[in-house]
Amino acid sequence: MDKQAGDPDIQKIFIFVLGFAIGVAMTLVPFIEVTWDSPRHDSYSLALTGVDGLVQPASSGGAPSLSPEFNLTLYAENTRLIAEKCFSHGRVAVSYGGVAVGEGRVPGFCAGARSTAEVGAAARGVGVRLPDGQRRRLEAELRWGAAEFDVEAKLFRDRDDETQSPVLLWCKAAWPQLPPQPPRCKAFTDFVIDFGV
Ligand SMILES: *[C@@H]1O[C@H](CO)[C@@H](O)[C@H](O)[C@H]1NC(C)=O
């Protein structure tokens, strides 16, 4: 045993194998970085930057119908070492308590390697009708500064990258905006859901 542990040949073999393993790992890491494209490795967050039209003016009679407007900023963090991440366009839909209250388009954008990109988008709704109880709850939450919306975004890859499925995001967004904003989006890809977009 003593002889084996101290055997210089075995030590040399060990050092050689270790060096080889480190070499292989260093060669593979950039390769994995480029090819590994799971959205789990990117993080997305979203903030509402402007909200309007959610409260029915007291003077207007008749059936309450709202025409809400939402401005939002979407942040995409690309954690990959060298690959840029681009989206040609996207769709965004805002809902409150399960009721769709606005939708809109996300312009194309790119996040460079190891950086975060942000893109602004607007969503609107026309003639939105919330059930009475929900409308009153929303008005109260807006007064208290505690309204929360669900935002769903579908981001399509760059044209060069059409083989890749779009990224679907499910986010929570508070209004008024609460600083600081933690990453509040769940990202999915490789799904088969048709949103008719
Ligand atoms: C959204 O942004 C546009 C352009 O900056 C602005 O004109 C509009 O008033 C904003 N709407 C809201 C609800 O903040």
Side-chain angles (χ1 to χ4, degrees), residues 1-3 46 62 76 91 138 162:
M1 279 297 170
D2 280 349
K3 186 176 179 289
L46 183 135
R91 303 288 310 174
L138 176 57
E162 251 171 15

Side-chain angles (χ1 to χ4, degrees), residues 49-52 69-71 122:
T49 54
V51 170
D52 202 8
E69 265 184 51
F70 301 87
N71 282 347

Side-chain angles (χ1 to χ4, degrees), residues 73-76 109-111 116-120:
T73 306
L74 180 68
Y75 303 88
F109 68 99
C110 285
T116 300
E118 58 175 84
V119 64

Side-chain angles (χ1 to χ4, degrees), residues 2-75:
D2 280 349
K3 186 176 179 289
Q4 246 186 17
D7 191 330
D9 282 345
I10 289 185
Q11 281 183 355
K12 269 185 209 156
I13 290 170
F14 177 71
I15 288 165
F16 175 79
V17 168
L18 186 68
F20 186 74
I22 291 172
V24 167
M26 285 173 69
T27 313
L28 283 181
V29 163
F31 181 73
I32 291 167
E33 283 290 337
V34 174
T35 53
W36 191 254
D37 193 27
S38 165
R40 273 176 297 165
H41 294 267
D42 300 316
S43 82
Y44 299 87
S45 69
L46 183 135
L48 286 171
T49 54
V51 170
D52 202 8
L54 284 170
V55 177
Q56 183 83 354
S59 56
S60 73
S65 106
L66 307 168
S67 295
E69 265 184 51
F70 301 87
N71 282 347
L72 46 93
T73 306
L74 180 68
Y75 303 88

